[in-house]
Amino acid sequence: GYQQITLETNDDESFSGLLKAESAEDVTLLAADGQLHHLRKSSLKERRNSQVSLMPEGLHLVLTLQGFADLMAYLESLK
């Protein structure tokens, strides 16, 4: 549920985010900035899973061990 995907359109635009909804005709992505992108599948050239995590790089370095453990517990509770 937290795998980031990247969609490239026939117009060479790229959109990355979480897959929020998908139908036979449309895909909705939630970008990191909170913006929803509704795209027609017929306008897509490529769809791929990202190898990069949505969690910001180095986040664990600015949190205490307890804070990081709390964050992980919260994320696990969202399943």
Side-chain angles (χ1 to χ4, degrees):
Y2 295 99
Q3 173 74 46
Q4 178 172 277
I5 66 169
T6 300
L7 301 174
E8 188 174 334
T9 68
N10 294 325
D11 297 330
D12 292 326
E13 290 185 277
S14 289
F15 298 90
S16 294
L18 292 177
L19 181 63
K20 293 306 286 180
E22 184 171 12
S23 70
E25 296 86 24
D26 301 303
V27 176
T28 302
L29 287 184
L30 176 62
D33 63 2
Q35 187 175 10
L36 285 174
H37 298 282
H38 305 281
L39 303 165
R40 302 285 299 168
K41 284 185 172 179
S42 61
S43 72
L44 299 179
K45 177 170 43 175
E46 184 177 1
R47 175 181 178 157
R48 62 186 176 276
N49 290 334
S50 175
Q51 299 302 313
V52 179
S53 171
L54 286 173
M55 187 171 294
E57 190 72 30
L59 177 65
H60 67 288
L61 299 174
V62 296
L63 295 174
T64 64
L65 185 57
Q66 184 60 53
F68 190 72
D70 292 344
L71 175 60
M72 292 298 106
Y74 168 72
L75 293 174
E76 283 289 320
S77 74
L78 298 176
K79 287 185 176 180

